[in-house]
Amino acid sequence: MIIWLNGTFGAGKTTTAKELTSRIPDSRLFDAEKVGEMLWHVLGVPERDFQDFPPWRGLVVETARQVLGYVGGTLVVTQTVLVEQYWQEIHTGLTQAGIPVYHFLLHADQDTLVERIETDTKPKSITARQWRLDHLADYRQSLSWLRRAAEVIDTTEITPGRVADIITSRVRPRGQL
């Protein structure tokens, strides 16, 4: 099974993923961004985003399939996907591989997102912080299809632990579907 946490920077994906992997037996964090970083070495730095490389989408599906086939359990994926076509490719590939996918959109209001991004200590540079802020417009433009494709959880006023509670109450391990 895959629990895919979508949403923009500051929505709470990483912290929620840590909560989920500590609560769900046999779960692992799968960072699909690492697949993109690997492709940089082969294809070069993308003009806009590594997700624009078609091999990224296929490799995310195949890597998840292989990992789940090897270790079983649950993969928790924290990856922002804002292009509907890209999400459809990934989702279709995973479901055709027989992998149940639970897609959650972690959402917070604009002011909260800006505050979280500006106070986050992880981006080590002003450039990285600004890049995250600049992507909020792309996120807003994607909201209509994201709301149709995912279950929305508003993280503005709740803790990542509460978000994890909500998610675990809505997913079922294989065999209990």
Side-chain angles (χ1 to χ4, degrees):
M1 158 173 71
I2 289 181
I3 299 171
W4 195 290
L5 304 179
N6 206 341
T8 194
F9 302 102
K13 297 181 304 294
T14 301
T15 310
T16 299
K18 290 175 186 173
E19 289 280 341
L20 287 168
T21 56
S22 73
R23 297 169 187 219
I24 300 171
D26 299 320
S27 64
R28 291 167 176 74
L29 181 62
F30 173 53
D31 188 350
E33 196 162 306
K34 297 297 182 193
V35 175
E37 291 171 5
M38 180 217 35
L39 286 174
W40 288 349
H41 297 288
V42 179
L43 302 176
V45 177
E47 187 175 313
R48 199 180 68 82
D49 192 310
F50 61 77
Q51 292 183 18
D52 295 334
F53 292 140
W56 176 78
R57 300 177 304 270
L59 286 169
V60 165
V61 170
E62 185 58 20
T63 304
R65 188 186 72 74
Q66 291 274 338
V67 169
L68 284 172
Y70 184 68
V71 297
T74 300
L75 293 182
V76 178
V77 181
T78 58
Q79 183 64 50
T80 303
V81 179
L82 300 181
V83 177
E84 186 174 12
Q85 174 191 339
Y86 297 175
W87 173 250
Q88 287 302 323
E89 288 178 41
I90 293 166
H91 187 264
T92 298
L94 293 170
T95 55
Q96 286 178 346
I99 301 168
V101 179
Y102 293 89
H103 184 203
F104 294 93
L105 173 64
L106 304 189
H107 174 77
D109 65 48
Q110 179 78 9
D111 291 340
T112 300
L113 292 171
V114 169
E115 179 185 344
R116 289 176 183 174
I117 291 168
E118 288 180 344
T119 59
D120 187 359
T121 58
K122 288 182 191 129
K124 300 298 182 198
S125 71
I126 293 171
T127 305
R129 184 169 286 114
Q130 188 60 51
W131 189 85
R132 291 175 173 196
L133 290 167
D134 291 345
H135 278 76
L136 291 177
D138 292 337
Y139 172 67
R140 282 190 307 274
Q141 291 176 353
S142 302
L143 270 174
S144 63
W145 79 261
L146 283 167
R147 290 176 196 261
R148 289 190 315 271
E151 182 170 345
V152 180
I153 301 173
D154 190 329
T155 66
T156 303
E157 299 287 336
I158 61 176
T159 66
R162 180 66 187 125
V163 176
D165 289 340
I166 293 167
I167 292 170
T168 55
S169 75
R170 296 185 179 150
V171 300
R172 292 181 181 82
R174 188 182 294 263
Q176 294 183 5
L177 294 174

